[in-house]
Amino acid sequence: MSASPFSHVADISRWLADAGIERLELDGPLGRLVLSRAGASVEPGPKVPAQDVPETGTIVRSPGMGILRLTHPLHDGALAPVGTKVRDGQALAVLQTGAILTPVEAPCDGIVVAVHGADGRVTGYGDALFALSPTREGPAA
Amino acid sequence: MMMEIRSRTALASVQDLGRFDAFKWGVGTSGAMDRMALLLGNVLLGNEEGAAAVEMQVFPFEILFETQGAFALTGADCAATLDGTPVLPWSARRVKAGQTLLLGQARPGLWRGARAYLSVSGGIDVPPVLGSRSTQLRGAIGGLEGRALRMGDRLSARPADRSLPFGERAVLPPALALPLMADGVPAVRVLPAAEHDRFTQRSLAEFWSRPYRVTPQSDRYGFRLSGPELSPKAPMELRSHGIVPGVVQVPHGGQPIVQMCEGQPSGGYPKIGTVIAADLWRLGQAPIGSHVRFLRTDWDGAVAALDEEVRWLEDVRRGLARLTPKDRP
């Protein structure tokens, strides 16, 4: 228990205040540790998934952190709304960090059956964004 | 990497940032009409910023990649597909041997460009002429044999240190990241030129406040615009003198012509203004039939505009580097 971060909460809160960080969330084996510089408040507990996602089909997860854009900034419509047939490697959405857009790629050929990601919201690594129903496509015509 | 042009193309050519050391001999700059698109394609691929690319102006356009490699596609969003799979606009990605890249018509949308750029890892391999790989059609120098690309032409890439050092990423188009509009119309900043004050007050008021349309007689040599007539206070006869891309001339008839990157290095028409270097890419991407507004600026404003673009490109480079783990193979 000597390695528990709970025993260092006061120190960490002070470091946060010094660094000008408002809030720190740490996911680990002890659960989700939330520290804010407003006070040494700790919310341990089992890790709570960001969304309740039914495990139907292949889940496409966020490859990183950024603002989720279901529609490319140049386009009117979403890149991959429900029902879209997609190919392995096709961009279903992009994650925006500043001026950089990182594609969220389909891991296989399939059809988009659900969109779990929230457009315009900060998305974390591993968040479930899409559900695909995999298909066995032949080579492109 | 080797690729083959598979379209009966018109007006596609190899371009880099341009030829600047030969202007004193009357050799124009040539280079990409949208230098930001060229720069960003190279930044995405980790190329040197002036690596040569293919500029495409007429669509559809088709390219077969004979060998594997990586490419970036920037400029006008042409709903491009790679073996039928959509390619993100302003993105870099890997390509396998035998894949075909197909660009369609430029899509209407928040921003519609007129020219697309295909960059490859290492840059297009053609011999430099007078310090640049840009094609100059008038003098038939540079690029591939000094001419526009044709069906069946094969282009190779120079060797690259690393393929896709930042992974497959895309970037926000500069037209969205650095917007410039006036009353809902895309705008460019312009410095008053030598004969500016010799035009009537009414003409000047119109020039600085009314939109001008890009006519079909607009290309890499120059853009003929149509709009309110610009009249000199008194007829002017000038001897031919040196002019640069961006110069806005007013011939008899009062309809302005903007010199673009293949423009003649000398001319004798009165000059009302000069589009600043930082904004030439904006004009270069204005489709035929679209409108443009001229915004008056000064020396400091023109320099600040260049600085802003340099800073934004640095932000992009830093952003890419930050997203890439240092121990990436």
Side-chain angles (χ1 to χ4, degrees), chain B:
Chain B
M1 193 241 269
M2 186 71 76
M3 54 198 208
E4 182 185 331
I5 307 298
R6 304 282 297 175
S7 292
R8 291 188 190 289
T9 87
L11 307 177
S13 58
V14 174
Q15 299 292 340
D16 60 17
L17 288 173
R19 191 171 279 119
F20 291 92
D21 290 341
F23 214 92
K24 53 183 177 276
W25 298 313
V27 179
T29 62
S30 303
M33 287 282 265
D34 180 353
R35 93 180 194 292
M36 288 294 269
L38 187 95
L39 280 166
L40 283 161
N42 285 329
V43 166
L44 282 167
L45 289 170
N47 285 345
E48 53 174 355
E49 66 175 28
V54 174
E55 176 184 84
M56 297 161 280
Q57 304 186 91
V58 176
F59 307 95
F61 199 94
E62 190 176 317
I63 294 177
L64 169 68
F65 289 94
E66 294 177 7
T67 57
Q68 65 166 25
F71 70 86
L73 193 58
T74 56
D77 175 11
C78 293
T81 58
L82 188 64
D83 279 0
T85 302
V87 173
L88 284 177
W90 296 82
S91 72
R93 56 165 302 139
R94 62 185 60 90
V95 61
K96 297 194 263 245
Q99 290 193 298
T100 296
L101 178 68
L102 179 61
L103 283 77
Q105 299 300 326
R107 289 168 69 137
L110 213 56
W111 173 75
R112 187 165 78 94
R115 290 153 174 100
Y117 294 83
L118 177 70
S119 309
V120 294
S121 277
I124 303 284
D125 191 8
V126 288
V129 175
L130 290 172
S132 165
R133 293 186 167 85
S134 291
T135 313
Q136 193 206 77
L137 295 173
R138 198 197 298 276
I141 59 167
L144 183 69
E145 299 165 8
R147 58 170 176 80
L149 296 173
R150 293 197 284 252
M151 171 116 143
D153 278 343
R154 294 169 78 230
L155 296 169
S156 59
R158 302 181 67 222
D161 288 334
R162 288 170 55 174
S163 182
L164 286 176
F166 306 117
E168 295 185 321
R169 310 274 177 191
V171 67
L172 211 55
L176 298 185
L178 304 168
L180 190 64
M181 306 275 276
D183 302 322
V185 173
V188 293
R189 284 159 290 195
V190 175
L191 291 163
E195 288 80 52
H196 172 272
D197 292 346
R198 294 168 72 175
F199 286 86
T200 65
Q201 283 305 309
R202 185 205 162 106
S203 295
L204 294 179
E206 308 250 63
F207 179 73
W208 294 118
S209 68
R210 311 278 289 117
Y212 280 78
R213 190 174 63 91
V214 179
T215 72
Q217 290 72 45
S218 298
D219 53 27
R220 288 177 53 83
Y221 295 89
F223 275 22
R224 287 182 181 265
L225 307 177
S226 100
E229 194 176 307
L230 302 167
S231 314
K233 291 175 186 163
M236 284 187 257
E237 287 295 331
L238 305 169
R239 291 210 174 107
S240 268
H241 50 278
I243 56 175
V244 295
V247 162
V248 184
Q249 297 175 305
V250 184
H252 304 301
Q255 299 296 289
I257 302 175
V258 186
Q259 296 301 308
M260 299 304 271
C261 57
E262 298 278 14
Q264 280 193 262
S266 63
Y269 292 134
K271 308 177 298 295
I272 192 168
T274 311
V275 177
I276 66 173
D279 285 350
L280 280 173
W281 67 268
R282 299 176 189 273
L283 192 56
Q285 285 288 19
I288 288 179
S290 71
H291 289 79
V292 70
R293 276 282 307 275
F294 298 118
L295 295 176
R296 182 168 179 160
T297 189
D298 57 14
W299 176 263
D300 289 337
V303 172
L306 274 175
D307 286 346
E308 185 188 32
E309 287 183 350
V310 167
R311 271 199 309 273
W312 184 70
L313 282 166
E314 267 312 303
D315 279 350
V316 170
R317 283 191 193 95
R318 258 202 309 272
L320 286 169
R322 229 183 286 138
L323 282 171
T324 309
K326 289 188 189 55
D327 57 0
R328 233 188 104 87

Side-chain angles (χ1 to χ4, degrees), chain A residues 29-55:
Chain A
L30 295 172
R32 173 161 285 183
L33 185 66
V34 177
L35 292 172
S36 106
R37 58 188 266 219
S41 62
V42 174
E43 298 157 31
K47 179 169 171 166
V48 175
Q51 325 104 305
D52 245 315
V53 172
E55 292 289 320

Side-chain angles (χ1 to χ4, degrees), chain A residues 65 72-77 79 85-105 140-141, chain B residues 75 77 83-86 88-90 93 107-111 168-173 176-177 312 315-317 319-320 323:
Chain A
M65 200 181 91
H72 186 277
L74 281 175
H75 295 166
D76 288 326
L79 283 164
K85 260 165 94 159
V86 300
R87 306 303 303 275
D88 185 0
Q90 180 171 341
L92 306 175
V94 292
L95 289 177
Q96 182 168 3
T97 46
I100 311 301
L101 305 174
T102 299
V104 177
E105 292 181 355
Chain B
D77 175 11
D83 279 0
T85 302
L88 284 177
W90 296 82
R93 56 165 302 139
R107 289 168 69 137
L110 213 56
W111 173 75
E168 295 185 321
R169 310 274 177 191
V171 67
L172 211 55
L176 298 185
W312 184 70
D315 279 350
V316 170
R317 283 191 193 95
L320 286 169
L323 282 171

